[in-house]
């Protein structure tokens, strides 16, 4: 199929399916499969209570990803703002009627699933910012007053997420939004001004942190100061990481994780369990799959013809990278523990579904790479 063939009338669903990069899908399935295997191990060699649910969610998310990929890219341009405001409304609902767990109010109980709107916002924010900057001329991004609205689009959801409280997701939203600003061509000196203002506000922000958040920062600076209290989690994580050695202790043989020394082994610290059971070789293998996914995302972003497609793919790729970097750095003790899951591996329905929908958007950019979208397009034109 030629480069311009998808721009013709009469293109079928089969034509679009043939355009999907199936090696990209295979790499995603490889990471998802590894995650289900680790949840099987976390359950002590049982599909209950985590692996079976994650398996069902992953299959549903996979179907959603393919559906999103074959939908016309102009549809996502048209629905970018409504999806953003829907996610924002759900964050407000969480503030008033969200369910509480582990001291945080982050979820909406739908009966069959606990919906976490902040995970949906990670993708909706990138989509809306790509839509907004798509209409900018090159000189617009150099005018600070033109950046007030997109800045509000970032800071309003960040404020709502901080109120839950969820510092890790707030950082993800801030950094993911910043990545789209950078890809749109915003001058570096503006990032410098925002960074300087952020650093100047740190003493004030410290006063608003919860006690457990302050403890996490202090523990990061000196984990041995309270080895049986605040420093327990990260010290056990480091012990598990080191005990895996080169080849690991074997599947379902990790002592730190299966004797319950390792905290949150099914969510935030699942990479530590993987490293303990499969060692350095297994960890590098998992990292290799992640790099393949990232390479595909960035390659698609660079090959996109439209500004909307380029910013969308770049934003999703950056968000995925931030997921990966923050989780791995967190379990290794390189940054404070901020509660960010390992993408596609940690147990959690909304995170998997929203991230897979994001990959579907990236693939939609590739499948519809020959569709021309003018700077003034709203996605309603044919």
């Amino acid at each position: 199929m030629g480069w311009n063939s998808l721009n013709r009338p009469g293109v079928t669903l089969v034509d679009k399916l043939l355009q999907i990069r199936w090696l990209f899908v295979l790499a995603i399935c490889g990471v998802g499969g590894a995650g289900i295997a680790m949840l099987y191990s976390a359950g002590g060699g049982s599909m209950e209570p985590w692996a079976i649910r994650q398996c069902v969610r992953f299959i549903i998310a996979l179907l959603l990803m393919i559906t999103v990929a074959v939908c016309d890219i102009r549809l996502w341009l048209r629905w970018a703002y409504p999806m953003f405001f829907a996610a924002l409304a759900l964050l407000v609902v969480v503030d008033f009627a969200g369910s509480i767990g582990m001291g945080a109010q982050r979820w909406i109980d739908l009966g069959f699933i606990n919906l976490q709107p902040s995970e949906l916002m990670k993708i909706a924010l990138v989509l809306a910012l790509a839509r907004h900057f798509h209409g900018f001329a090159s000189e617009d991004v150099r005018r600070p007053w033109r950046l007030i609205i997109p800045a509000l689009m970032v800071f309003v959801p960040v404020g709502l997420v901080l109120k839950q409280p969820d510092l890790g997701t707030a950082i993800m939203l801030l950094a993911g939004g910043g990545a789209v600003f950078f890809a749109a061509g915003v001058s570096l000196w503006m990032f410098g001004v925002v960074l300087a203002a952020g650093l100047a506000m740190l003493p004030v922000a410290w006063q608003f942190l919860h006690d457990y958040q302050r403890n996490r920062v202090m523990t990061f600076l000196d984990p041995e100061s309270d080895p049986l209290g605040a420093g327990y989690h990260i010290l056990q994580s480091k012990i598990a990481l080191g005990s895996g050695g080169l080849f690991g202790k074997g599947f379902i043989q990790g002592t730190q994780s299966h004797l319950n020394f390792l905290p949150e082994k099914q969510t935030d610290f699942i990479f530590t369990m993987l490293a303990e059971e499969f060692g350095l070789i297994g960890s590098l293998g998992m990292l290799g799959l992640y790099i393949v996914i990232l390479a595909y995302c960035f390659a698609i972003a660079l090959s996109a013809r439209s500004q909307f497609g380029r910013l969308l793919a770049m934003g999703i790729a950056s968000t995925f990278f931030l997921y990966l970097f923050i989780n791995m750095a967190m379990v290794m003790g390189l940054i404070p523990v901020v509660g960010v899951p390992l993408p596609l591996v940690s147990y959690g329905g909304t995170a998997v579904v929203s991230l897979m929908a994001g990959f579907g958007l990236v693939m939609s950019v590739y499948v519809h790479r020959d569709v021309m979208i003018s700077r003034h397009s709203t996605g309603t034109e044919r």
Side-chain angles (χ1 to χ4, degrees), residues 256-270:
Q256 288 295 113
S257 51
H258 291 287
L259 293 177
N260 292 324
F261 288 105
L262 187 65
E264 304 296 335
K265 59 188 176 187
Q266 79 280 10
T267 53
D268 296 349
F269 287 86
I270 197 167

Side-chain angles (χ1 to χ4, degrees), residues 132-323:
H132 191 82
F133 282 116
H134 168 74
F136 272 33
S138 57
E139 60 270 18
D140 289 333
V141 294
R142 293 193 288 272
R143 296 170 177 158
W145 65 271
R146 292 297 307 268
L147 302 179
I148 293 175
I149 291 178
L152 287 174
M153 291 165 68
V154 175
F155 287 117
V156 170
V158 165
L160 289 169
V161 170
L162 278 175
K163 197 177 176 186
Q164 291 180 357
D166 188 350
L167 182 60
T169 300
I171 292 172
M172 292 272 299
L173 290 172
L174 203 58
V180 179
F181 273 64
F182 179 77
V186 173
S187 302
L188 289 178
W189 70 265
M190 295 187 194
F191 286 97
V193 170
V194 173
L195 182 61
L199 291 174
M201 290 291 291
L202 277 181
V204 178
W206 180 262
Q207 302 301 319
F208 287 95
L209 289 179
H210 294 259
D211 288 341
Y212 79 91
Q213 291 172 325
R214 293 179 190 170
N215 285 337
R216 285 179 175 180
V217 176
M218 298 308 295
T219 301
F220 163 69
L221 296 174
D222 186 11
E224 283 78 16
S225 63
D226 188 9
L228 297 179
Y232 180 81
H233 289 185
I234 195 61
L235 287 176
Q236 294 301 321
S237 177
K238 288 180 179 178
I239 292 170
L241 282 170
S243 66
L246 188 60
F247 297 105
K249 296 176 179 174
F251 189 46
I252 322 181
Q253 301 299 318
T255 51
Q256 288 295 113
S257 51
H258 291 287
L259 293 177
N260 292 324
F261 288 105
L262 187 65
E264 304 296 335
K265 59 188 176 187
Q266 79 280 10
T267 53
D268 296 349
F269 287 86
I270 197 167
F271 181 75
T272 309
M273 186 173 67
L274 183 146
E276 185 185 23
E277 296 190 358
F278 293 97
L280 179 63
I281 299 299
S283 302
L284 290 177
M286 176 64 84
L287 195 58
L289 283 175
Y290 279 127
I291 291 173
V292 169
I293 295 172
L294 274 171
Y296 266 110
C297 289
F298 282 117
I300 289 172
L302 293 175
S303 67
R305 287 184 168 186
S306 68
Q307 176 77 334
F308 175 69
R310 187 176 70 84
L311 294 178
L312 180 58
M314 191 66 78
I316 299 294
S318 300
T319 300
F320 180 64
F321 170 77
L322 289 166
Y323 255 116

Side-chain angles (χ1 to χ4, degrees), residues 60-83:
I60 293 172
L62 191 62
L63 295 174
L64 174 67
M65 181 179 73
I66 300 300
T67 303
V68 171
V70 297
C71 287
D72 195 314
I73 187 75
R74 289 167 292 193
L75 178 74
W76 305 120
L77 179 72
R78 191 186 317 156
W79 282 94
Y81 289 153
M83 292 171 74

